[in-house]
Amino acid sequence: MAIAMENVGIAVRDIEATIAFFTDLGLTVVGRDTVSGEWADTAVGLDGNHAKIAMLQTPDGHGRLELFEYIHPDAIETSPTLPNEIGMHRVAFSVDDIDAALEIAARHECHPLRGVANYQDVYKLAYVRGPSGIIVMLAQDLTKP
């Protein structure tokens, strides 16, 4: 059986703000829609499922995020996850300039959980609390010129 990663889906409070954050970091919107109907109810397992969706893609074409903002049923607010909680943890991106990426994140009121770490002079990395509480890891490979 062949298997390939399609995308990571993330429910968000405000799809427009979340799209702005990720497109400013360099992702591209490759599709948008509003979904509902029996097929959506069956696929997701929620009666009356109705959501705005957007598919974003990394510049290399390999990574995709599917963002969805629920219209119905109402979205359920939860506390932002912590790095040590079981379940969906974070989404990670390689960047060629972590300082520039952090400046972009800050323009969206998104800041590192603690700061920028240096892992054995191989990576500089930071966990940022993104829109809707999403943890976003930004990592710069220091071995690349």
Side-chain angles (χ1 to χ4, degrees):
M1 177 186 86
I3 188 168
M5 174 67 84
E6 252 331 285
N7 64 62
V8 173
I10 305 173
V12 299
R13 230 176 258 116
D14 181 340
I15 199 164
E16 298 304 327
T18 308
I19 289 170
F21 173 78
F22 284 114
T23 57
D24 280 357
L25 283 175
L27 278 71
T28 302
V29 176
V30 294
R32 293 179 75 135
D33 203 355
T34 300
V35 297
S36 64
E38 186 178 334
W39 75 269
D41 293 356
T42 300
V44 177
L46 292 172
D47 290 333
N49 180 42
H50 189 190
K52 298 180 213 174
I53 63 170
M55 187 69 72
L56 285 75
Q57 181 172 281
T58 57
D60 65 5
H62 297 296
R64 286 188 171 198
L65 291 180
E66 181 179 354
L67 305 175
F68 38 98
E69 178 184 332
Y70 276 93
I71 299 166
H72 185 269
D74 289 339
I76 299 169
E77 287 289 336
T78 60
S79 298
T81 59
L82 298 174
N84 62 331
E85 286 186 70
I86 302 297
M88 182 68 185
H89 189 247
R90 60 157 168 74
V91 59
F93 295 99
S94 296
V95 296
D96 56 6
D97 183 341
I98 195 165
D99 295 324
L102 290 172
E103 287 176 17
I104 291 167
R107 290 197 300 262
H108 293 270
E109 304 292 321
C110 302
H111 305 283
L113 299 183
R114 182 161 293 168
V116 178
N118 182 316
Y119 176 71
Q120 299 181 357
D121 291 325
V122 175
Y123 286 101
K124 282 174 66 175
L125 52 102
Y127 277 24
V128 174
R129 182 69 69 187
S132 297
I134 301 165
I135 297 176
V136 178
M137 185 182 91
L138 302 169
Q140 178 182 341
D141 185 341
L142 299 175
T143 66
K144 293 183 178 178

